[in-house]
Amino acid sequence: MIGIFKQKNPANIFLLLVFGLLIKLPMFLHPHIPPGRSNDGVFFKAILSFIEPTGRSTPLLYPVLAFGLLFLQAIMLTRFINTQRMMNKPTFFPGMAYLLITSLLPEWNFFSAPLLVNTILLFVLSGLFKIYNQPNARGAIFNIGLALGIASFLFFPSLTFIIWILLALAVMRPFKLNEWALCIVGITTPFYFYAIYLFINDTWSWSRLLPHFTIGVPAIKQSVWLAGCAFLLVVPFLGGGYYVQDNLRRMLIQVRKGWSLLLLFLFGAVFIPFVNNSDTLENWVMAAIPFAAFHACTYLYATLRILPLLLFWLTVAFILGYQYYEIGW
């Protein structure tokens, strides 16, 4: 598998699809129906309400939608890494790593608001990368802010990514107050139109426009399997970080800044579950994007060729063990 996905072959898109279906088979065998959570935004609640009649009679709809999102995100991440030349050769390792990582925990394969937001965050990440050295980036910056504003109506805690976006603007462009203000205007635009909608329908209230915002520690049940998942996430990430640092001098300035954006992305994604915390691992799925990018570097740059093979098959064995011999799915 490592040798296959190391090549940039159009046929690998189909192989990636087959790989994803095989590694995520239990999500189709045990469909999960989203219960709806307090952190879900009005857009996501509307989506759930729209598909509920079909989902009630055909529960398989939810895992099909979730897998479609995961596969789309794997392709988007692969395309971003290859197009922006984040690694020294184009591969399908980012997509492979993303599908592998999201299989470590069943909750990362549920149709949920954070999973939908991942698609928007990949769009934002690509947009932030493109504004580097762009003379007139006002339109792109407004679109970036608008995308984040829309994401907050799917999953309100994602609004905290505004800190990541502002730091990214500072990394990618010289400070210009009007650009930062334009980004904030883009973020607030969906709130402005939603406020008008509430006012016209005589349902105005601040609590509906801006839900409560709290910081707390999620109460996650500890287990050996969760520790194994953390090990398989952190060790390849540290390896990828080492290889990125080792190749930093040979990278273009734009690429160096791109890896900085991904690192800032990871810090923001790790913080998200502490906002309006809930006792679930679904909110952590946003961290899978930067993790997959760094994991891809471990698969590509490892000098000992046996290392990527051991890492890949150890992860696959862990996933199969968790799925079929523990509580799993």
Side-chain angles (χ1 to χ4, degrees):
M1 296 300 291
I2 298 299
I4 292 174
F5 290 120
K6 189 175 183 179
Q7 309 299 322
K8 187 186 178 184
N9 188 333
N12 281 356
I13 296 178
F14 175 73
L15 294 176
L16 191 66
L17 175 64
V18 174
F19 169 73
L21 288 171
L22 291 176
I23 202 72
K24 296 180 180 294
L25 184 61
M27 71 185 289
F28 300 100
L29 300 177
H30 308 284
H32 174 266
I33 300 176
R37 302 179 302 160
S38 58
N39 282 342
D40 293 341
V42 291
F43 286 176
F44 187 71
K45 289 177 181 177
I47 292 172
L48 288 183
S49 178
F50 177 75
I51 64 177
E52 182 185 9
T54 306
R56 194 185 306 115
S57 59
T58 313
L60 193 63
L61 173 66
Y62 294 107
V64 168
L65 290 174
F67 180 80
L69 286 171
L70 288 166
F71 183 70
L72 174 64
Q73 291 160 11
I75 295 297
M76 290 176 66
L77 179 62
T78 301
R79 185 176 182 276
F80 169 75
I81 296 291
N82 291 340
T83 302
Q84 306 302 337
R85 299 181 181 178
M86 300 286 284
M87 300 191 296
N88 63 12
K89 66 173 293 186
T91 71
F92 274 80
F93 282 150
M96 182 201 77
Y98 186 75
L99 292 178
L100 204 59
I101 287 171
T102 52
S103 300
L104 289 170
L105 293 169
E107 292 86 351
W108 289 2
N109 298 270
F110 295 165
F111 181 69
S112 63
L115 185 60
L116 265 175
V117 169
N118 265 9
T119 307
I120 297 178
L121 291 178
L122 280 167
F123 167 79
V124 171
L125 178 63
S126 180
L128 286 169
F129 201 95
K130 291 176 181 177
I131 64 174
Y132 177 74
N133 270 351
Q134 187 175 338
N136 184 7
R138 290 194 293 271
I141 290 173
F142 176 82
N143 290 338
I144 288 169
L146 180 63
L148 182 62
I150 293 173
S152 68
F153 277 82
L154 290 168
F155 183 62
F156 181 71
S158 64
L159 190 62
T160 57
F161 271 104
I162 186 176
I163 300 174
W164 168 59
I165 288 180
L166 295 178
L167 289 175
L169 287 177
V171 169
M172 300 302 288
R173 297 180 64 81
F175 174 75
K176 292 182 181 179
L177 183 60
N178 61 336
E179 292 183 349
W180 285 45
L182 190 62
C183 180
I184 294 174
V185 169
I187 293 171
T188 57
T189 296
F191 290 90
Y192 172 75
F193 285 105
Y194 185 56
I196 293 176
Y197 168 80
L198 293 176
F199 182 77
I200 292 175
N201 286 273
D202 198 25
T203 54
W204 165 263
S205 71
W206 280 107
S207 61
R208 296 193 64 177
L209 182 64
L210 294 172
H212 72 285
F213 187 93
T214 59
I215 303 294
V217 180
I220 303 298
K221 183 180 178 181
Q222 305 298 314
S223 69
V224 174
W225 292 96
L226 188 60
C229 174
F231 175 83
L232 291 173
L233 280 173
V234 173
V235 171
F237 164 74
L238 294 177
Y242 167 79
Y243 290 121
V244 169
Q245 185 68 28
D246 189 50
N247 288 274
L248 211 58
R249 288 174 295 179
R250 295 187 288 273
M251 295 179 182
L252 298 174
I253 295 177
Q254 184 178 4
V255 175
R256 297 180 196 175
K257 291 178 180 289
W259 284 110
S260 299
L261 291 190
L262 283 168
L263 198 56
L264 291 171
F265 187 127
L266 179 61
F267 292 149
V270 170
F271 175 71
I272 284 289
F274 296 92
V275 180
N276 295 357
N277 63 293
S278 58
D279 302 336
T280 176
L281 294 168
E282 290 178 37
N283 297 1
W284 299 86
V285 71
M286 297 181 187
I289 294 174
F291 268 128
F294 282 94
H295 281 215
C297 291
T298 300
Y299 286 115
L300 178 63
Y301 293 123
T303 51
L304 293 175
R305 299 321 303 167
I306 191 67
L307 181 61
L309 289 173
L310 287 175
L311 177 62
F312 175 82
W313 289 112
L314 179 62
T315 307
V316 170
F318 176 87
I319 292 169
L320 294 177
Y322 186 72
Q323 289 173 355
Y324 295 108
Y325 296 104
E326 239 308 293
I327 52 171
W329 299 71

